[in-house]
Amino acid sequence: MKITKLTLYPVEPRWLFLKIDTDEGISGWGEPVVEGKAATVGACVREMEDYLIGKDPRRIEDIFQVLYRGAFYRGGPIITSAISGIEQALWDIKGKFYNMPVYEFLGGSCRDNIDVYCWIGGDRPADVGQAALRQKELGFKAIKMNGTEEMHFIDSFDKVTAVCERVAAIRETCGENFGIAVDFHGRVHKTMAKVLAKELEPFHLMFIEEPVLSENYEAFEEIAKHVSTPIAMGERLFTRWDFKKIFEQGVVDIIQPDLSHAGGILEVRKIAAMAEAYDMAVAPHCPLGPIALAACLQMDACAPNAFIQEQSLGIHYNKGGDLLDYLKDPKTFDYAGGAVQIPSAPGLGIEINEAYVIEKAKKGHNWKNPVWRNADGTVAEW
């Protein structure tokens, strides 16, 4: 079996789909994208195309090694995201060829389903108490929200109070056993992160996410001294080599590799295995489309330390398209009781509505995240 063609489809809201065809009529789908840099990642995929044409798509490890190591410069969001989407599509092909879901190649499933959480509140969170209650009434057991808007290196305590008031509203409407994750989104610098994490401690959060930017990894140890709340991070880390220092440091509780950024299904399975050895949980990052989510679920199936899965249904970014729109059967992701079943069909376990994808790709998108500024005019983290 040989790879014959790669086709890229930029589709709303901000996604990039990849279809890889073979000479045996089997095709696979992947999602190689960086949010806000879809065209850049697409160009990177095209640069890799010459090597891929004519290769056996079942030789996934060898192809990964060549794409990652063979061009001298390696890693980073663009190159690794391009590899990730290619790798997902190769697994989809391999699973269809052997008539097995991907997880069967990775040791088999150790679970039937996995809990998922929903996003509420948007970039500038508001009315989160009622929004969380609506998700609870739909059967979900956990939500995640952005914690704060712009926050300077040292900022007003009013902003900390506002975060606590929003979290308190969720606790009041949804009760003590409802899971609440607060994403600092790297918007908060070390000093304010310590304050904010400590003030949120009484609310018994499921986790705080990216309390500081991942490149400031030394600050995680300082924040961990002040709280017992689980700390999560990892969406902006790429491959095992980026995660190494986090494992060695040992203060992060939950890692969040993104299967469309960190190297693909097998690479994240390796990262999850490393995390297990350090007694860390895994909650894969996935505010993306159905192919990325399907890839996550295949990895979740065989990673015993995966405990909850992010998914983008109804997320505030999804304008012009949503998670289930591109599937032939939206019931493939069978949400029930706050969990989703692991798809058991061959490959990634989903069927993409290709005709709809082609139609939507005619419009495409040019999604960019906003640029924020503090009150004094300095650029703020988004």
Side-chain angles (χ1 to χ4, degrees), residues 86-165:
I86 291 166
E87 195 257 16
Q88 293 167 4
L90 299 181
W91 276 115
D92 198 25
I93 291 168
K94 187 164 187 168
K96 291 170 181 175
F97 181 83
Y98 290 106
N99 197 33
M100 293 194 300
V102 171
Y103 62 72
E104 292 290 5
F105 297 95
L106 304 177
S109 180
C110 65
R111 58 164 49 88
D112 300 319
N113 58 60
I114 189 167
D115 285 348
V116 294
Y117 61 81
C118 295
W119 268 91
I120 62 167
D123 269 346
R124 299 183 181 276
D127 300 325
V128 291
Q130 290 304 308
L133 182 59
R134 286 192 291 273
Q135 296 303 328
K136 182 179 180 181
E137 290 171 345
L138 290 172
F140 292 99
K141 296 179 285 189
I143 58 88
K144 187 167 79 175
M145 58 177 279
N146 281 314
T148 182
E149 302 180 339
E150 301 92 335
M151 191 169 280
H152 220 318
F153 280 81
I154 305 294
D155 215 322
S156 166
F157 197 81
D158 288 349
K159 292 185 179 181
V160 176
T161 301
V163 177
C164 293
E165 289 174 348

Side-chain angles (χ1 to χ4, degrees), residues 275-302:
E276 186 181 3
Y278 284 90
D279 206 23
M280 293 181 185
V282 180
H285 181 254
C286 190
L288 296 171
I291 303 168
L293 178 58
C296 287
L297 295 175
Q298 294 297 322
M299 198 289 302
D300 292 330
C302 50

Side-chain angles (χ1 to χ4, degrees), residues 178-368:
F178 189 73
I180 304 172
V182 177
D183 188 356
F184 289 27
H185 216 252
R187 296 172 181 172
V188 188
H189 300 277
K190 179 179 70 173
T191 304
M192 296 306 297
K194 289 191 295 183
V195 174
L196 187 53
K198 186 174 182 179
E199 293 298 318
L200 287 170
E201 183 89 348
F203 297 105
H204 304 137
L205 300 179
M206 183 168 65
F207 57 80
I208 57 173
E209 179 174 335
E210 257 193 347
V212 294
L213 290 166
S214 55
E215 56 259 41
N216 297 328
Y217 71 94
E218 67 282 349
F220 286 93
E221 189 168 4
E222 182 70 18
I223 294 165
K225 293 176 182 177
H226 293 80
V227 296
S228 61
T229 304
I231 297 173
M233 61 87 68
E235 68 187 68
R236 291 190 256 198
L237 299 180
F238 315 102
T239 76
R240 288 160 279 169
W241 292 276
D242 270 7
F243 279 90
K244 252 196 328 186
K245 61 180 178 287
I246 299 301
F247 294 141
E248 291 166 357
Q249 188 182 39
V251 298
V252 170
D253 304 286
I254 303 160
I255 59 160
Q256 300 172 296
D258 188 309
L259 277 81
S260 281
H261 301 331
I265 296 170
L266 182 56
E267 183 65 15
V268 173
R269 180 66 190 96
K270 293 174 182 178
I271 293 167
M274 292 170 70
E276 186 181 3
Y278 284 90
D279 206 23
M280 293 181 185
V282 180
H285 181 254
C286 190
L288 296 171
I291 303 168
L293 178 58
C296 287
L297 295 175
Q298 294 297 322
M299 198 289 302
D300 292 330
C302 50
N305 52 334
F307 81 102
I308 199 164
Q309 176 61 58
E310 181 174 26
Q311 52 87 44
S312 73
L313 186 63
I315 196 171
H316 49 286
Y317 303 120
N318 289 358
K319 309 296 184 184
D322 211 332
L323 179 69
L324 306 180
D325 295 349
Y326 295 94
L327 296 175
K328 282 188 176 180
D329 181 9
K331 295 180 180 178
T332 300
F333 297 137
D334 183 15
Y335 293 92
V340 63
Q341 294 293 313
I342 306 296
S344 59
L348 295 180
I350 60 172
E351 282 192 81
I352 294 296
N353 185 342
E354 187 172 1
Y356 186 70
V357 169
I358 292 170
E359 186 62 30
K360 292 290 285 186
K362 292 176 183 176
K363 178 180 179 182
H365 69 85
N366 187 32
W367 186 89
K368 296 289 186 292

